[in-house]
Each structure stands twice: as C-alpha cells, then as structure tokens.
C-alpha cells in the first residue's frame, strides 16, 4: 500500500497536491476548486507547487467524520 492511501503514520510531513488528491480519490482540479472557495484544508505554495502538511490533511479528515462511534 502506498503512502497516499495508507496509514497516517506512513505519510511524509509535506504532501504535494497530487498525493492528497489520490488519497481522497479526487482530482487535482477538485482540490484547486476547494482552495479557491476556501473550503479545503490549509495549504501552502512553495515555488510553483501546492503542498499540504500531514497534520492539516489529518485534521481536515477528522473534521469531516460523520456518524459511527469513537473507539
């Protein structure tokens, strides 16, 4: 299993947008729309690339959890 779809501890500290898109089974274009709308996770631009911090990706995922129970 690759880090894009694997466990959170397998993720590197900084993720390029294509890795985040693959992790969530979304297109890079979807992440671009989310950034423009201000609805996606916190991101940073370095050079010409867009990157996400691992902790921001995990926090965004946790905030989107619905239903079930905490165990």
């Amino acid at each position: 299993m690759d880090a894009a779809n694997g466990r959170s501890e397998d993720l590197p500290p900084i993720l390029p947008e294509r890795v985040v898109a693959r992790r969530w089974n979304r297109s890079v274009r979807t992440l671009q729309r989310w950034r423009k709308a201000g609805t996606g996770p916190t991101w940073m631009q370095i050079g010409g690339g867009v990157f996400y911090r691992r902790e921001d990706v995990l926090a965004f995922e946790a905030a989107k959890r619905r239903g079930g129970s905490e165990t």
Side-chain angles (χ1 to χ4, degrees):
M1 182 177 291
D2 64 26
N5 297 313
R7 300 181 318 252
S8 59
E9 60 269 14
D10 292 336
L11 292 174
I14 303 295
L15 304 158
E17 70 179 335
R18 65 179 168 69
V19 171
V20 176
R22 189 169 65 236
R23 177 178 175 85
W24 294 339
N25 196 30
R26 298 289 179 252
S27 69
V28 168
R29 183 68 183 117
T30 295
L31 295 182
Q32 292 167 348
R33 283 194 302 271
W34 289 357
R35 285 195 302 274
K36 185 174 182 177
T39 59
T42 303
W43 57 280
M44 59 187 152
Q45 188 167 11
I46 300 173
V50 173
F51 300 89
Y52 297 87
R53 295 182 323 156
R54 172 182 51 216
E55 54 264 28
D56 293 333
V57 168
L58 297 175
F60 185 78
E61 290 174 353
K64 296 299 180 182
R65 289 187 65 202
R66 302 289 183 263
S69 63
E70 294 290 322
T71 56

